[in-house]
Amino acid sequence: MKAIAIRFFSATGMKWGIPFVKLFSGEEVLEQFKSIAQTILIPILAIALFLAAWSFGARQITTSLGQVPGPAMVWEQAQSLWQEHLVEKHKASEFYARQDARNAKKLSANPNAKTTDIKYTGKPTYIDQIFTSLKTVFMGFVIASLIALPIGVICGLSKTMMKAFNPLIQIFKPVSPLAWLPIVTMVVSAVYVTNDGIFPKSFIISAFTVSLCSLWATLINTALGVSSVHTDYINVAKVLQLSPLKKTFKVLLPATLPLIFTGLRISLSVGWMVLIACEMLAQNPGLGKFVWDEFQNGSSQSLARIMVAVFTIGIIGFILDRIMVELQKKVSFEKLAV
Amino acid sequence: MSLELINVSKGFGEGKNRSEVLQNINLKIEEGEFVAIVGFTGSGKTTMVKMMAGLLAPDAGQVLFNGRPVLGPSKERGIVFQNYSLLPWFSVLQNVMLAVNEVYPDWSKSQRMEHAKKYIEMVNLTPAINKRPSELSGGMRQRVSLARTLSMNPELLLMDEPLSALDAITRGTLQEEIINIWGATNKTTALIITNDVDEGILLADRIIPLNPGPKATLGPSFSINIERPRDKKALNDNEDFIKTRNEIIEYLMDMSNEMSLGKSEKYLLPEISPVMPGLSFRSTMSKVA
């Protein structure tokens, strides 16, 4: 039981839970209190100090949208966003219930009657927007990985390819998503002409811009990893005369996986950071559009609502990073164990 | 004739940084012979074995195997590396299977599996068959490496200091295992590189010292005429053993002394006259004044 609880806490990145588990099982009580003070008390104190400074600082500045919101106002808005979500969901379910009742009535009168099947078109709630953002960043991340991994392997295998790709990588790597967006918008509009495809245009534009900005980290890490595989492993492949394909999948890629995952992790965090800007301009109904709409809306709650978005973005980014770290731990072998 | 090296030389680097490692190496290993090469660390033993395996090409001279020049690695020449070189993401069985799959692609999966298991059993690792290299001790890892190479049924078994990273007791056990397995596999032609003269005498039919580098050459060949099977404990009282061992060690010490004498003449200190910053400053000042 104790071991399971400890494993759970360390896997989820909540190491602060471990001393509590140990404390309840009566293991070195004084030691556990010290550990709790260090891992929990100090962060809590720091957060409390931050909230106090924020609260105090916010009161000093008044903008055209009213006072800069303090922690209390932001919390209020977070709750109201959640309430709005619940209300909207309730409305939707009522709408569908009414529609179903209508259809049932029609069918009972005439089994061959045409039923209407209309989708509820309320405005997306904050929670919907979070999921749209996650979908977009995931799509962009997958596209980026599909492009970056094969090119990275090829660059790592051949010095000529590396030399060929290197200038392009160096030039395109630092380009801001805001510069890519107009180009991607025009290209997607020209190529993706249907208006009722599986994905809305704004979704595709945002996803592609995200992948354009995030693929570089994976590409560089994969190339570096493949080109620096330990000579011992290469020698094994040589002595066994493995075919190039087998060499890649049995020796090079497993040896490179830890570095590839470091690249993927950077890519995902860059993608998430870039996504907000993309959504703002492409009007993809995610968190970026939410921030933009609130900014344009200019009500007295707008700033507080944007602040809620800031915290949401931060926390989700943190969770995504933790997920990648855990995945990376799963695939990494012990480096020392040759 | 199994393996032959004719006037082989090898060096690394270019221009000023060029260092000649091996020069005019001549060596013949007959079929079924077990040869040990002893030498100091850094004398180019690994370079030599890599050329035999085909992982390095000689700068001058020729490496011949069964009369044909060696142009690259081949499955008929198996090599056991000093640092095991196991793939850490594979289990013991998978590491051996990687080799078996390459050498016997026509066999059925179960046949290959059985073959791999046979060699893992031979090195006494069946209980650890599903473990990863990181879960094994150094001696066990070298056993896996040995099983992987032997499972390829090579015509020539090359071993590059296979036991030097192990502790004395594990080393002794593995020496015995190597000699038993070698006897069981119809006495494949074998070459072991080692820095331990006793190990060489215990295992080999012939010991050849490698003189210290740079420009290392092979010394005279010492035949070991002690009857097999050799017992490590009994060997300590064997007069032949003591005599051969002393001869080889004496030879190696002489060579090493010669080298270090030669070296001390080379390093003449440059003439340096110390510069005193304070003094020179004052003298310049006085000149200006």
Side-chain angles (χ1 to χ4, degrees):
Chain A
M1 183 58 214
K2 186 180 143 201
I4 294 170
I6 288 178
R7 208 178 312 146
F8 168 77
F9 279 123
S10 62
T12 46
M14 298 191 291
K15 292 234 167 67
W16 51 264
I18 296 170
F20 281 103
V21 177
K22 287 186 178 166
L23 188 65
F24 288 130
S25 67
E27 191 183 307
E28 295 168 90
V29 177
L30 208 70
E31 194 73 6
Q32 304 315 327
F33 272 122
K34 238 189 235 170
S35 167
I36 288 170
Q38 247 181 12
T39 48
I40 301 178
L41 238 47
I42 290 176
I44 286 181
L45 248 151
I47 290 172
L49 265 173
F50 165 73
L51 289 179
W54 172 17
S55 180
F56 174 80
R59 249 174 266 159
Q60 315 301 313
I61 304 167
T62 312
T63 67
S64 59
L65 299 180
Q67 212 178 56
V68 170
M73 278 171 83
V74 171
W75 179 240
E76 212 172 87
Q77 283 313 310
Q79 283 170 316
S80 101
L81 280 168
W82 178 244
Q83 282 311 317
E84 281 168 31
H85 171 72
L86 293 182
V87 167
E88 197 67 23
K89 285 291 119 160
H90 185 66
K91 269 194 201 163
S93 66
E94 272 186 342
F95 171 86
Y96 285 119
R98 277 202 305 275
Q99 180 169 278
D100 286 347
R102 231 175 10 247
N103 286 338
K105 207 167 155 194
K106 261 192 207 169
L107 284 173
S108 66
N110 172 13
N112 296 325
K114 247 190 169 179
T115 57
T116 43
D117 217 7
I118 304 165
K119 241 187 131 191
Y120 179 72
T121 51
K123 75 177 172 79
T125 67
Y126 188 64
I127 310 297
D128 295 334
Q129 285 171 318
I130 290 175
F131 279 104
T132 309
S133 279
L134 282 173
K135 266 186 244 165
T136 317
V137 82
F138 184 69
M139 171 94 164
F141 179 62
V142 169
I143 296 172
S145 309
L146 288 180
I147 298 172
L149 288 174
I151 297 181
V153 171
I154 291 168
C155 285
L157 284 176
S158 141
K159 269 201 180 136
T160 321
M161 290 307 260
M162 184 67 130
K163 290 266 185 292
F165 272 98
N166 195 35
L168 297 176
I169 295 172
Q170 299 304 335
I171 290 171
F172 288 135
K173 191 176 61 149
V175 175
S176 146
L178 301 178
W180 282 120
L181 201 85
I183 300 169
V184 176
T185 308
M186 296 319 287
V187 172
V188 169
S189 306
V191 178
Y192 191 76
V193 271
T194 54
N195 266 326
D196 49 351
I198 320 165
F199 302 116
K201 224 179 249 179
S202 63
F203 175 81
I204 291 184
I205 294 168
S206 308
F208 265 105
T209 312
V210 165
S211 33
L212 267 178
C213 293
S214 66
L215 65 87
W216 310 108
T218 306
L219 206 169
I220 292 170
N221 267 284
T222 309
L224 177 80
V226 170
S227 65
S228 60
V229 170
H230 203 290
T231 34
D232 285 348
Y233 305 152
I234 305 278
N235 277 341
V236 171
K238 273 189 193 160
V239 170
L240 296 179
Q241 294 179 298
L242 296 181
S243 67
L245 210 66
K246 261 195 179 168
K247 185 180 160 191
T248 308
F249 283 98
K250 301 240 160 170
V251 180
L252 293 178
L253 281 182
T256 317
L257 264 188
L259 257 181
I260 289 180
F261 262 84
T262 312
L264 288 174
R265 185 180 158 199
I266 301 171
S267 277
L268 187 58
S269 63
V270 168
W272 182 246
M273 207 158 72
V274 157
L275 174 79
I276 308 305
C278 294
E279 284 182 337
M280 264 189 192
L281 291 183
Q283 291 292 296
N284 184 41
L287 285 170
K289 186 172 187 305
F290 171 84
V291 171
W292 184 249
D293 286 351
E294 285 302 332
F295 178 57
Q296 295 298 323
N297 186 12
S299 79
S300 49
Q301 286 105 40
S302 285
L303 284 183
R305 285 171 162 240
I306 292 174
M307 212 70 105
V308 174
V310 166
F311 283 110
T312 313
I313 293 164
I315 290 166
I316 291 177
F318 172 68
I319 293 171
L320 290 179
D321 200 51
R322 286 303 314 176
I323 293 173
M324 291 306 283
V325 170
E326 287 309 317
L327 279 178
Q328 188 177 12
K329 273 192 207 157
K330 282 264 168 340
V331 300
S332 294
F333 54 92
E334 273 179 72
K335 272 236 150 144
L336 288 170
V338 177
Chain B
M1 177 74 50
S2 184
L3 184 81
E4 193 172 1
L5 273 67
I6 308 168
N7 284 328
V8 168
S9 299
K10 180 78 187 171
F12 295 100
E14 293 293 331
K16 262 191 184 172
N17 299 324
R18 172 97 188 157
S19 69
E20 300 293 342
V21 179
L22 296 170
Q23 202 163 45
N24 288 329
I25 300 282
N26 282 295
L27 176 68
K28 269 185 199 174
I29 300 177
E30 302 294 336
E31 211 168 316
E33 201 180 13
F34 198 139
V35 173
I37 297 204
V38 274
F40 298 96
T41 34
S43 54
K45 297 185 303 251
T46 297
T47 309
M48 190 160 74
V49 90
K50 275 192 174 161
M51 284 194 291
M52 293 175 184
L55 289 168
L56 282 176
D59 293 339
Q62 257 192 321
V63 181
L64 297 176
F65 183 64
N66 288 336
R68 288 186 310 274
V70 168
L71 299 173
S74 140
K75 291 162 200 157
E76 53 202 19
R77 278 167 284 126
I79 178 166
V80 176
F81 295 101
Q82 181 179 0
N83 48 9
Y84 328 129
S85 296
L86 300 175
L87 303 180
W89 45 89
F90 283 155
S91 69
V92 169
L93 181 64
Q94 285 170 318
N95 264 295
V96 178
M97 279 298 279
L98 188 71
V100 177
N101 287 339
E102 281 311 303
V103 183
Y104 303 106
D106 317 329
W107 289 8
S108 73
K109 174 122 199 194
S110 59
Q111 250 178 319
R112 280 178 272 156
M113 199 73 111
E114 209 150 287
H115 185 76
K117 281 180 180 164
K118 186 179 116 193
Y119 282 92
I120 293 170
E121 174 62 37
M122 204 183 269
V123 294
N124 299 324
L125 272 184
T126 306
I129 197 161
N130 289 320
K131 287 196 169 157
R132 300 275 175 104
S134 57
E135 298 170 273
L136 303 179
S137 69
M140 288 162 104
R141 286 183 206 170
Q142 194 54 287
R143 285 199 181 111
V144 181
S145 179
L146 194 65
R148 179 176 66 188
T149 309
L150 289 171
S151 71
M152 299 164 73
N153 276 329
E155 287 177 48
L156 171 67
L157 176 62
L158 299 167
M159 290 173 278
D160 178 17
E161 300 206 45
L163 310 177
S164 12
L166 305 176
D167 62 273
I169 295 168
T170 318
R171 208 171 165 153
T173 345
L174 264 174
Q175 283 166 354
E176 268 166 41
E177 274 181 29
I178 288 179
I179 205 74
N180 288 339
I181 291 168
W182 180 69
T185 54
N186 299 324
K187 304 197 171 179
T188 324
T189 317
L191 179 130
I192 189 168
I193 302 269
T194 177
N195 52 22
D196 179 355
V197 177
D198 291 20
E199 184 173 291
I201 299 177
L202 178 69
L203 297 174
D205 300 320
R206 203 143 62 89
I207 294 192
I208 305 167
L210 184 66
N211 301 331
K215 297 191 182 177
T217 49
L218 284 178
S221 151
F222 295 83
S223 291
I224 317 291
N225 297 317
I226 304 169
E227 223 168 275
R228 292 179 195 273
R230 295 170 188 163
D231 179 15
K232 202 173 172 172
K233 282 171 224 145
L235 223 50
N236 280 326
D237 304 320
N238 187 316
E239 273 181 26
D240 256 4
F241 170 78
I242 296 168
K243 201 176 134 240
T244 326
R245 178 185 161 192
N246 289 345
E247 271 174 19
I248 297 170
I249 290 177
E250 233 166 71
Y251 175 82
L252 282 170
M253 299 303 278
D254 284 351
M255 287 313 289
S256 149
N257 284 340
E258 223 170 84
M259 279 309 290
S260 51
L261 279 179
K263 260 183 197 161
S264 65
E265 284 169 26
K266 258 192 244 165
Y267 291 111
L268 288 172
L269 286 176
E271 274 186 53
I272 308 167
S273 48
V275 178
M276 308 294 278
L279 264 178
S280 67
F281 177 72
R282 216 174 291 148
S283 60
T284 26
M285 282 311 283
S286 61
K287 267 179 205 162
V288 171

